[in-house]
Amino acid sequence: DIQMTQSPSSLSASVGDRVTITCRASQSISSYLNWYQQKPGKAPKLLIYAASSLQSGVPSRFSGSGSGTDFTLTISSLQPEDFATYYCQQSYSTRAYTFGQGTKLEIK
Amino acid sequence: EVQLVESGGGLVQPGGSLRLSCAASGFTVSSNYMSWVRQAPGKGLEWVSVIYSGGSTYYADSVKGRFTISRDNSKNTLYLQMNSLRAEDTAVYYCARDYQGDGDDAFDIWGQGTMVTVSS
């Protein structure tokens, strides 16, 4: 199976900060990389699909980039509602999807 | 409104069985790939199983041979039959629509989740 590794595992930041989370795949996955946001007690929410496409309704401060094995999620200016856990997920192998371990974004 | 609503979770003893349901509205289950994803308490997301629109099914190694994904087209509902349950299957189980676009594939619609607890 394709392994997905996120860094950092946790991150403290302030409102207004620019934040970047990285995700690395154990093999090339082209652009089959998605990002999700999850708040406590809630289902995950799709933010970015195909590495860099913004899901409808998601604020433009979220952006994604990368291809092959290395990907990033950037939040340009953190808002209070952005404090959550973020997961990357590969959809290259549709018979065995895998998620990263998650990055918990906390208020500094 | 496009939504997914899971049901069927609960407390079950090790070795027992449980069937989860996921009722869809606003779209057709059989025309989409549909997946189950779980999350153990305090842990990350783990993909469990997928059923393709054509009917092919695939499973994570951790549940292969014990879980079965299926759908009822007349009820527009997805199911997960879970047998030989273990303590490590304790988790919130989510169903999700696995949207297949042109060069993309992502879980764009999620249910609210249903809790499964395996304990004696």
Side-chain angles (χ1 to χ4, degrees):
Chain A
D1 289 0
I2 300 172
Q3 305 302 315
M4 306 301 294
T5 303
Q6 286 182 235
S7 62
S9 296
S10 63
L11 175 60
S12 294
S14 302
V15 172
D17 284 353
R18 179 183 180 90
V19 167
T20 298
I21 298 170
T22 65
C23 181
R24 175 165 289 176
S26 60
Q27 67 180 72
S28 177
I29 57 171
S30 184
S31 295
Y32 288 92
L33 190 283
N34 308 310
W35 290 97
Y36 301 85
Q37 176 193 66
Q38 187 180 33
K39 296 182 178 179
K42 300 294 187 181
K45 172 187 174 183
L46 177 64
L47 298 176
I48 301 285
Y49 63 93
S52 60
S53 296
L54 194 66
Q55 174 69 350
S56 176
V58 174
S60 59
R61 62 181 179 273
F62 291 92
S63 64
S65 64
S67 67
T69 60
D70 294 312
F71 303 86
T72 61
L73 171 70
T74 299
I75 310 172
S76 60
S77 179
L78 273 174
Q79 298 302 301
E81 61 268 29
D82 300 336
F83 292 94
T85 300
Y86 293 85
Y87 294 93
C88 63
Q89 176 235 347
Q90 65 81 17
S91 56
Y92 180 82
S93 175
T94 61
R95 301 181 181 186
Y97 297 106
T98 46
F99 290 89
Q101 81 277 16
T103 295
K104 186 174 184 179
L105 179 54
E106 299 175 304
I107 301 173
K108 184 183 288 183
Chain B
E1 182 186 6
V2 174
Q3 67 174 354
L4 294 166
V5 179
E6 298 102 335
S7 60
L11 175 63
V12 61
Q13 292 187 338
S17 298
L18 211 55
R19 188 179 80 158
L20 306 183
S21 300
C22 170
S25 56
F27 70 97
T28 302
V29 164
S30 62
S31 298
N32 288 272
Y33 286 24
M34 298 292 297
S35 275
W36 288 95
V37 176
R38 69 183 180 183
Q39 186 170 36
K43 302 298 184 182
L45 301 170
E46 178 188 18
W47 172 78
V48 172
S49 181
V50 63
I51 183 167
Y52 289 179
S53 50
S56 297
T57 60
Y58 299 94
Y59 301 90
D61 288 344
S62 58
V63 306
K64 200 171 295 182
R66 300 188 298 123
F67 289 11
T68 302
I69 190 172
S70 64
R71 66 191 182 209
D72 184 329
N73 297 344
S74 67
K75 295 182 178 179
N76 206 30
T77 297
L78 178 73
Y79 299 101
L80 185 68
Q81 177 67 43
M82 304 185 295
N83 298 331
S84 302
L85 282 161
R86 307 166 179 168
E88 54 264 36
D89 296 318
T90 294
V92 174
Y93 285 73
Y94 297 99
C95 60
R97 185 175 78 170
D98 188 354
Y99 176 75
Q100 302 288 310
D102 183 14
D104 57 84
D105 171 355
F107 301 149
D108 68 333
I109 301 168
W110 295 69
Q112 84 286 358
T114 188
M115 182 71 203
V116 172
T117 303
V118 183
S119 175
S120 55

